[in-house]
Amino acid sequence: MKAVRFHHYGDIDVLDLEDAEPRPLGPHDVLVQVHAAGINPGEAKIRSGALHERFPATFPSGQGSDLAGTVAEAGPAVTEWTVGDPVLGWSEERSSHAEYVTVPADQLVRKPDALPWTSAGALYVAGTTAWAAVAAVDPQAGETVVVAGATGGVGSLAVQLLRLRRANVFAVASPRHRDWLESQGATLVDYGSGSDVAERLRQAVETDGSRVQAFLDFHGGDYPRAALTLGVPPTRINTLDYAAAAALGTRSDGNAQGTSQAVLTELAELAATGRIEVPISGTYPLAEVRQAFAQLEQEHPLGKIVLLPGAAPALDRS
C-alpha cells in the first residue's frame, strides 16, 4: 500500500508517500481500506517537532488518527465486523494517512448510511475533542458561552454542540466566517479588532445583556486568562493550552476524555441526521498531502481538510 511517512522533524517537505505494509493483523484487529482521513493541527505540530516532549515521534513515522472506510479483513477473534462493513474510527498508532490501516476492532463504529465519507473521516479527533470540552463546562440552556478558535475543526463542532444545549454562543473568529457562524446561531466576535481580548468580549456580551458563564478555548494565548478576567470560574473554563491550564487551574479536557465508541457513535448519528454539520474546506488525494497541510497551516480554514486515499463505494462518494 501507499502511506504517508516522514523520517525526521521538519516542514511539510518532509512528508512523502511511500510503499509500506499495514501492521500485521492480530486476533482482535480489523484491516480497513481507508476512503477518507482528516488532517489535524496537532499532526502538523508533531511533524515539526513542536510536541516532541509530549508526543515524540519514532522514525520513520506515519501520520493520522481520523479514518473512515470499509472492512477489508478481520482477525479471527472479531465477531462484530465483517468484510465490506462501512466504518469510521481512529488509529492510536499515527497510521491512518494510508490506503489501508490496521486497528483494534473496538476503535471502530458503524458509519451511518446517510453520513458522507468525507464527514465520517473528519469526525474523530475534532468531534471527540469538542464533545469533551463542552461536557467539561456543562453548559445549561440560556447560559452564555464564549468559544475562542470557533471555526477550526474542533471549534466549529463545539459551537454546534453548545447550540444543541441551547446555550448562547459568542464565537471568536475571523469575520470571513461570519455567515457560517450566524447560520449556526452564534454571534461573531472579531479576533483581530483591538488588543484587549477580555474587554472586547465583555463589550460584545454585555451589549446583549448577558455575562460570560463558561469559556471554551481552542486557540490558546491570552484567552484562558481573559476568561478569568471576565469572572468565569476556573472549573467552567476549558482550554487545549495545557500549560495555561496547569498555571491557571482551569480544565483541559479534550480528545483523551472524549474518546470512546459511544461518543463517536453519538457524533456520527448527529452528523448523519443533520443536527450538526462537519464543515469540509478541502479534499486532497493522498499524494497531495503536502498541499493539504499547506492549506491547513497557512489559511486556517473553516472546519476540516480531508485526505482521500482510495475510492469510496459509488453510492456514497461525497
mmCIF file of all heavy atoms in Angstrom, residues 219-257:
data_model
loop_
_atom_site.group_PDB
_atom_site.id
_atom_site.type_symbol
_atom_site.label_atom_id
_atom_site.label_comp_id
_atom_site.label_asym_id
_atom_site.label_seq_id
_atom_site.Cartn_x
_atom_site.Cartn_y
_atom_site.Cartn_z
ATOM 1 N N HIS A 219 -7.702 27.997 20.998
ATOM 2 C CA HIS A 219 -6.656 28.788 20.359
ATOM 3 C C HIS A 219 -5.432 28.957 21.241
ATOM 4 O O HIS A 219 -4.297 28.874 20.778
ATOM 5 C CB HIS A 219 -7.210 30.170 19.977
ATOM 6 C CG HIS A 219 -6.234 31.021 19.221
ATOM 7 N ND1 HIS A 219 -5.276 31.806 19.851
ATOM 8 C CD2 HIS A 219 -6.061 31.212 17.892
ATOM 9 C CE1 HIS A 219 -4.560 32.436 18.943
ATOM 10 N NE2 HIS A 219 -5.011 32.086 17.744
ATOM 11 N N GLY A 220 -5.628 29.202 22.532
ATOM 12 C CA GLY A 220 -4.515 29.438 23.436
ATOM 13 C C GLY A 220 -4.177 30.917 23.530
ATOM 14 O O GLY A 220 -5.016 31.780 23.292
ATOM 15 N N GLY A 221 -2.942 31.209 23.904
ATOM 16 C CA GLY A 221 -2.532 32.603 24.029
ATOM 17 C C GLY A 221 -3.181 33.255 25.234
ATOM 18 O O GLY A 221 -3.149 32.716 26.349
ATOM 19 N N ASP A 222 -3.813 34.413 25.032
ATOM 20 C CA ASP A 222 -4.379 35.190 26.131
ATOM 21 C C ASP A 222 -5.769 34.734 26.558
ATOM 22 O O ASP A 222 -6.298 35.226 27.562
ATOM 23 C CB ASP A 222 -4.470 36.669 25.732
ATOM 24 C CG ASP A 222 -3.112 37.311 25.541
ATOM 25 O OD1 ASP A 222 -2.143 36.824 26.143
ATOM 26 O OD2 ASP A 222 -3.029 38.295 24.779
ATOM 27 N N TYR A 223 -6.369 33.820 25.841
ATOM 28 C CA TYR A 223 -7.779 33.540 26.088
ATOM 29 C C TYR A 223 -8.090 32.932 27.453
ATOM 30 O O TYR A 223 -9.066 33.344 28.101
ATOM 31 C CB TYR A 223 -8.347 32.685 24.965
ATOM 32 C CG TYR A 223 -8.497 33.457 23.677
ATOM 33 C CD1 TYR A 223 -7.683 33.202 22.578
ATOM 34 C CD2 TYR A 223 -9.448 34.470 23.568
ATOM 35 C CE1 TYR A 223 -7.812 33.932 21.406
ATOM 36 C CE2 TYR A 223 -9.583 35.203 22.404
ATOM 37 C CZ TYR A 223 -8.760 34.929 21.317
ATOM 38 O OH TYR A 223 -8.887 35.662 20.166
ATOM 39 N N PRO A 224 -7.331 31.960 27.961
ATOM 40 C CA PRO A 224 -7.673 31.442 29.291
ATOM 41 C C PRO A 224 -7.612 32.518 30.378
ATOM 42 O O PRO A 224 -8.485 32.589 31.249
ATOM 43 C CB PRO A 224 -6.617 30.350 29.520
ATOM 44 C CG PRO A 224 -6.203 29.935 28.150
ATOM 45 C CD PRO A 224 -6.240 31.195 27.334
ATOM 46 N N ARG A 225 -6.611 33.380 30.314
ATOM 47 C CA ARG A 225 -6.518 34.466 31.295
ATOM 48 C C ARG A 225 -7.656 35.468 31.102
ATOM 49 O O ARG A 225 -8.203 36.003 32.068
ATOM 50 C CB ARG A 225 -5.156 35.160 31.199
ATOM 51 C CG ARG A 225 -4.806 36.001 32.409
ATOM 52 C CD ARG A 225 -3.379 36.513 32.332
ATOM 53 N NE ARG A 225 -2.403 35.430 32.292
ATOM 54 C CZ ARG A 225 -1.966 34.792 33.364
ATOM 55 N NH1 ARG A 225 -2.428 35.128 34.561
ATOM 56 N NH2 ARG A 225 -1.074 33.829 33.256
ATOM 57 N N ALA A 226 -7.998 35.730 29.842
ATOM 58 C CA ALA A 226 -9.118 36.638 29.568
ATOM 59 C C ALA A 226 -10.405 36.094 30.173
ATOM 60 O O ALA A 226 -11.228 36.852 30.705
ATOM 61 C CB ALA A 226 -9.275 36.837 28.067
ATOM 62 N N ALA A 227 -10.595 34.787 30.100
ATOM 63 C CA ALA A 227 -11.791 34.185 30.678
ATOM 64 C C ALA A 227 -11.855 34.423 32.183
ATOM 65 O O ALA A 227 -12.926 34.745 32.732
ATOM 66 C CB ALA A 227 -11.814 32.686 30.370
ATOM 67 N N LEU A 228 -10.742 34.299 32.866
ATOM 68 C CA LEU A 228 -10.710 34.580 34.297
ATOM 69 C C LEU A 228 -11.018 36.047 34.578
ATOM 70 O O LEU A 228 -11.742 36.378 35.525
ATOM 71 C CB LEU A 228 -9.335 34.213 34.873
ATOM 72 C CG LEU A 228 -8.998 32.719 34.917
ATOM 73 C CD1 LEU A 228 -7.544 32.524 35.306
ATOM 74 C CD2 LEU A 228 -9.922 31.988 35.890
ATOM 75 N N THR A 229 -10.468 36.934 33.743
ATOM 76 C CA THR A 229 -10.729 38.365 33.900
ATOM 77 C C THR A 229 -12.213 38.673 33.770
ATOM 78 O O THR A 229 -12.734 39.586 34.425
ATOM 79 C CB THR A 229 -9.936 39.170 32.849
ATOM 80 O OG1 THR A 229 -8.539 38.894 33.013
ATOM 81 C CG2 THR A 229 -10.177 40.661 32.987
ATOM 82 N N LEU A 230 -12.906 37.903 32.950
ATOM 83 C CA LEU A 230 -14.347 38.088 32.763
ATOM 84 C C LEU A 230 -15.164 37.502 33.908
ATOM 85 O O LEU A 230 -16.396 37.585 33.900
ATOM 86 C CB LEU A 230 -14.777 37.444 31.448
ATOM 87 C CG LEU A 230 -14.298 38.140 30.176
ATOM 88 C CD1 LEU A 230 -14.520 37.261 28.959
ATOM 89 C CD2 LEU A 230 -15.005 39.475 29.994
ATOM 90 N N GLY A 231 -14.501 36.900 34.881
ATOM 91 C CA GLY A 231 -15.194 36.359 36.037
ATOM 92 C C GLY A 231 -15.677 34.933 35.885
ATOM 93 O O GLY A 231 -16.471 34.444 36.700
ATOM 94 N N VAL A 232 -15.202 34.238 34.850
ATOM 95 C CA VAL A 232 -15.615 32.849 34.661
ATOM 96 C C VAL A 232 -14.841 31.969 35.651
ATOM 97 O O VAL A 232 -13.605 32.059 35.733
ATOM 98 C CB VAL A 232 -15.338 32.380 33.218
ATOM 99 C CG1 VAL A 232 -15.845 30.957 33.018
ATOM 100 C CG2 VAL A 232 -15.979 33.325 32.215
ATOM 101 N N PRO A 233 -15.517 31.124 36.416
ATOM 102 C CA PRO A 233 -14.807 30.243 37.356
ATOM 103 C C PRO A 233 -13.862 29.298 36.606
ATOM 104 O O PRO A 233 -14.193 28.831 35.500
ATOM 105 C CB PRO A 233 -15.939 29.455 38.031
ATOM 106 C CG PRO A 233 -17.175 30.252 37.778
ATOM 107 C CD PRO A 233 -16.975 30.956 36.475
ATOM 108 N N PRO A 234 -12.697 28.998 37.183
ATOM 109 C CA PRO A 234 -11.752 28.086 36.504
ATOM 110 C C PRO A 234 -12.361 26.748 36.111
ATOM 111 O O PRO A 234 -11.987 26.180 35.081
ATOM 112 C CB PRO A 234 -10.632 27.907 37.537
ATOM 113 C CG PRO A 234 -10.696 29.143 38.378
ATOM 114 C CD PRO A 234 -12.155 29.516 38.444
ATOM 115 N N THR A 235 -13.310 26.257 36.903
ATOM 116 C CA THR A 235 -13.928 24.968 36.598
ATOM 117 C C THR A 235 -14.827 25.028 35.368
ATOM 118 O O THR A 235 -15.227 23.986 34.843
ATOM 119 C CB THR A 235 -14.766 24.478 37.785
ATOM 120 O OG1 THR A 235 -15.721 25.492 38.136
ATOM 121 C CG2 THR A 235 -13.875 24.158 38.969
ATOM 122 N N ARG A 236 -15.142 26.251 34.912
ATOM 123 C CA ARG A 236 -16.000 26.391 33.723
ATOM 124 C C ARG A 236 -15.236 27.007 32.557
ATOM 125 O O ARG A 236 -15.825 27.531 31.620
ATOM 126 C CB ARG A 236 -17.252 27.195 34.057
ATOM 127 C CG ARG A 236 -18.055 26.575 35.202
ATOM 128 C CD ARG A 236 -19.507 26.942 35.119
ATOM 129 N NE ARG A 236 -20.155 26.280 33.998
ATOM 130 C CZ ARG A 236 -21.335 26.660 33.516
ATOM 131 N NH1 ARG A 236 -21.970 27.705 34.035
ATOM 132 N NH2 ARG A 236 -21.885 26.019 32.504
ATOM 133 N N ILE A 237 -13.908 26.907 32.643
ATOM 134 C CA ILE A 237 -13.023 27.282 31.538
ATOM 135 C C ILE A 237 -12.324 26.010 31.079
ATOM 136 O O ILE A 237 -11.733 25.292 31.886
ATOM 137 C CB ILE A 237 -11.966 28.313 31.965
ATOM 138 C CG1 ILE A 237 -12.631 29.583 32.482
ATOM 139 C CG2 ILE A 237 -11.013 28.628 30.811
ATOM 140 C CD1 ILE A 237 -11.662 30.529 33.179
ATOM 141 N N ASN A 238 -12.399 25.727 29.793
ATOM 142 C CA ASN A 238 -11.678 24.572 29.250
ATOM 143 C C ASN A 238 -10.793 25.037 28.113
ATOM 144 O O ASN A 238 -11.252 25.699 27.181
ATOM 145 C CB ASN A 238 -12.637 23.500 28.736
ATOM 146 C CG ASN A 238 -11.954 22.161 28.572
ATOM 147 O OD1 ASN A 238 -11.836 21.407 29.545
ATOM 148 N ND2 ASN A 238 -11.494 21.833 27.369
ATOM 149 N N THR A 239 -9.499 24.734 28.218
ATOM 150 C CA THR A 239 -8.544 25.139 27.193
ATOM 151 C C THR A 239 -7.717 23.948 26.752
ATOM 152 O O THR A 239 -7.439 23.040 27.550
ATOM 153 C CB THR A 239 -7.612 26.254 27.705
ATOM 154 O OG1 THR A 239 -6.671 26.594 26.669
ATOM 155 C CG2 THR A 239 -6.849 25.833 28.953
ATOM 156 N N LEU A 240 -7.300 23.961 25.488
ATOM 157 C CA LEU A 240 -6.378 22.936 24.995
ATOM 158 C C LEU A 240 -4.932 23.369 25.166
ATOM 159 O O LEU A 240 -4.018 22.652 24.758
ATOM 160 C CB LEU A 240 -6.676 22.628 23.530
ATOM 161 C CG LEU A 240 -8.085 22.105 23.235
ATOM 162 C CD1 LEU A 240 -8.202 21.691 21.778
ATOM 163 C CD2 LEU A 240 -8.455 20.940 24.157
ATOM 164 N N ASP A 241 -4.718 24.549 25.767
ATOM 165 C CA ASP A 241 -3.377 25.013 26.131
ATOM 166 C C ASP A 241 -3.065 24.419 27.502
ATOM 167 O O ASP A 241 -3.413 24.970 28.541
ATOM 168 C CB ASP A 241 -3.346 26.539 26.170
ATOM 169 C CG ASP A 241 -1.960 27.102 26.444
ATOM 170 O OD1 ASP A 241 -1.139 26.394 27.058
ATOM 171 O OD2 ASP A 241 -1.709 28.258 26.057
ATOM 172 N N TYR A 242 -2.406 23.261 27.506
ATOM 173 C CA TYR A 242 -2.231 22.511 28.743
ATOM 174 C C TYR A 242 -1.349 23.232 29.749
ATOM 175 O O TYR A 242 -1.577 23.144 30.963
ATOM 176 C CB TYR A 242 -1.684 21.120 28.428
ATOM 177 C CG TYR A 242 -2.568 20.352 27.491
ATOM 178 C CD1 TYR A 242 -2.165 20.073 26.181
ATOM 179 C CD2 TYR A 242 -3.831 19.922 27.886
ATOM 180 C CE1 TYR A 242 -3.002 19.380 25.315
ATOM 181 C CE2 TYR A 242 -4.672 19.234 27.029
ATOM 182 C CZ TYR A 242 -4.247 18.969 25.737
ATOM 183 O OH TYR A 242 -5.076 18.303 24.883
ATOM 184 N N ALA A 243 -0.369 23.978 29.266
ATOM 185 C CA ALA A 243 0.482 24.743 30.178
ATOM 186 C C ALA A 243 -0.331 25.833 30.870
ATOM 187 O O ALA A 243 -0.191 26.060 32.071
ATOM 188 C CB ALA A 243 1.654 25.356 29.419
ATOM 189 N N ALA A 244 -1.184 26.517 30.105
ATOM 190 C CA ALA A 244 -2.030 27.554 30.695
ATOM 191 C C ALA A 244 -2.993 26.952 31.705
ATOM 192 O O ALA A 244 -3.231 27.526 32.777
ATOM 193 C CB ALA A 244 -2.786 28.294 29.602
ATOM 194 N N ALA A 245 -3.555 25.801 31.376
ATOM 195 C CA ALA A 245 -4.488 25.150 32.296
ATOM 196 C C ALA A 245 -3.798 24.816 33.616
ATOM 197 O O ALA A 245 -4.366 25.031 34.699
ATOM 198 C CB ALA A 245 -5.056 23.891 31.660
ATOM 199 N N ALA A 246 -2.574 24.297 33.534
ATOM 200 C CA ALA A 246 -1.839 23.954 34.749
ATOM 201 C C ALA A 246 -1.507 25.197 35.567
ATOM 202 O O ALA A 246 -1.598 25.186 36.796
ATOM 203 C CB ALA A 246 -0.564 23.200 34.387
ATOM 204 N N ALA A 247 -1.148 26.272 34.874
ATOM 205 C CA ALA A 247 -0.763 27.500 35.567
ATOM 206 C C ALA A 247 -1.956 28.217 36.186
ATOM 207 O O ALA A 247 -1.843 28.811 37.266
ATOM 208 C CB ALA A 247 -0.040 28.434 34.602
ATOM 209 N N LEU A 248 -3.101 28.163 35.520
ATOM 210 C CA LEU A 248 -4.258 28.947 35.941
ATOM 211 C C LEU A 248 -5.311 28.134 36.679
ATOM 212 O O LEU A 248 -6.262 28.703 37.224
ATOM 213 C CB LEU A 248 -4.899 29.616 34.720
ATOM 214 C CG LEU A 248 -4.003 30.565 33.915
ATOM 215 C CD1 LEU A 248 -4.715 31.042 32.661
ATOM 216 C CD2 LEU A 248 -3.565 31.751 34.768
ATOM 217 N N GLY A 249 -5.173 26.816 36.678
ATOM 218 C CA GLY A 249 -6.134 25.979 37.390
ATOM 219 C C GLY A 249 -7.433 25.746 36.660
ATOM 220 O O GLY A 249 -8.448 25.399 37.278
ATOM 221 N N THR A 250 -7.418 25.906 35.323
ATOM 222 C CA THR A 250 -8.622 25.653 34.537
ATOM 223 C C THR A 250 -8.682 24.183 34.133
ATOM 224 O O THR A 250 -7.757 23.406 34.384
ATOM 225 C CB THR A 250 -8.656 26.523 33.277
ATOM 226 O OG1 THR A 250 -7.658 26.059 32.353
ATOM 227 C CG2 THR A 250 -8.401 27.992 33.613
ATOM 228 N N ARG A 251 -9.729 23.819 33.440
ATOM 229 C CA ARG A 251 -9.836 22.475 32.905
ATOM 230 C C ARG A 251 -9.152 22.393 31.556
ATOM 231 O O ARG A 251 -8.968 23.403 30.873
ATOM 232 C CB ARG A 251 -11.303 22.071 32.786
ATOM 233 C CG ARG A 251 -12.038 22.128 34.124
ATOM 234 C CD ARG A 251 -13.352 21.395 34.076
ATOM 235 N NE ARG A 251 -13.153 19.970 33.805
ATOM 236 C CZ ARG A 251 -14.048 19.023 34.099
ATOM 237 N NH1 ARG A 251 -15.196 19.350 34.670
ATOM 238 N NH2 ARG A 251 -13.815 17.749 33.809
ATOM 239 N N SER A 252 -8.799 21.172 31.163
ATOM 240 C CA SER A 252 -8.144 20.975 29.865
ATOM 241 C C SER A 252 -8.576 19.649 29.246
ATOM 242 O O SER A 252 -7.772 18.896 28.720
ATOM 243 C CB SER A 252 -6.619 21.012 30.015
ATOM 244 O OG SER A 252 -6.183 20.019 30.935
ATOM 245 N N ASP A 253 -9.867 19.357 29.320
ATOM 246 C CA ASP A 253 -10.388 18.119 28.750
ATOM 247 C C ASP A 253 -10.376 18.196 27.228
ATOM 248 O O ASP A 253 -10.644 19.247 26.642
ATOM 249 C CB ASP A 253 -11.816 17.871 29.221
ATOM 250 C CG ASP A 253 -11.880 17.479 30.696
ATOM 251 O OD1 ASP A 253 -10.861 17.634 31.389
ATOM 252 O OD2 ASP A 253 -12.950 17.042 31.139
ATOM 253 N N GLY A 254 -10.078 17.081 26.587
ATOM 254 C CA GLY A 254 -10.015 17.056 25.135
ATOM 255 C C GLY A 254 -10.194 15.656 24.606
ATOM 256 O O GLY A 254 -10.974 14.859 25.144
ATOM 257 N N ASN A 255 -9.447 15.343 23.567
ATOM 258 C CA ASN A 255 -9.598 14.074 22.860
ATOM 259 C C ASN A 255 -9.502 12.863 23.787
ATOM 260 O O ASN A 255 -10.271 11.908 23.650
ATOM 261 C CB ASN A 255 -8.549 14.014 21.757
ATOM 262 C CG ASN A 255 -8.517 12.696 21.024
ATOM 263 O OD1 ASN A 255 -7.589 11.930 21.207
ATOM 264 N ND2 ASN A 255 -9.525 12.433 20.210
ATOM 265 N N ALA A 256 -8.579 12.893 24.740
ATOM 266 C CA ALA A 256 -8.407 11.746 25.635
ATOM 267 C C ALA A 256 -9.667 11.480 26.446
ATOM 268 O O ALA A 256 -10.045 10.323 26.671
ATOM 269 C CB ALA A 256 -7.215 11.972 26.562
ATOM 270 N N GLN A 257 -10.330 12.545 26.880
ATOM 271 C CA GLN A 257 -11.542 12.384 27.691
ATOM 272 C C GLN A 257 -12.761 12.035 26.834
ATOM 273 O O GLN A 257 -13.721 11.455 27.322
ATOM 274 C CB GLN A 257 -11.830 13.660 28.485
ATOM 275 C CG GLN A 257 -10.848 13.927 29.617
ATOM 276 C CD GLN A 257 -9.500 14.416 29.144
ATOM 277 O OE1 GLN A 257 -9.385 15.027 28.080
ATOM 278 N NE2 GLN A 257 -8.470 14.161 29.933
#
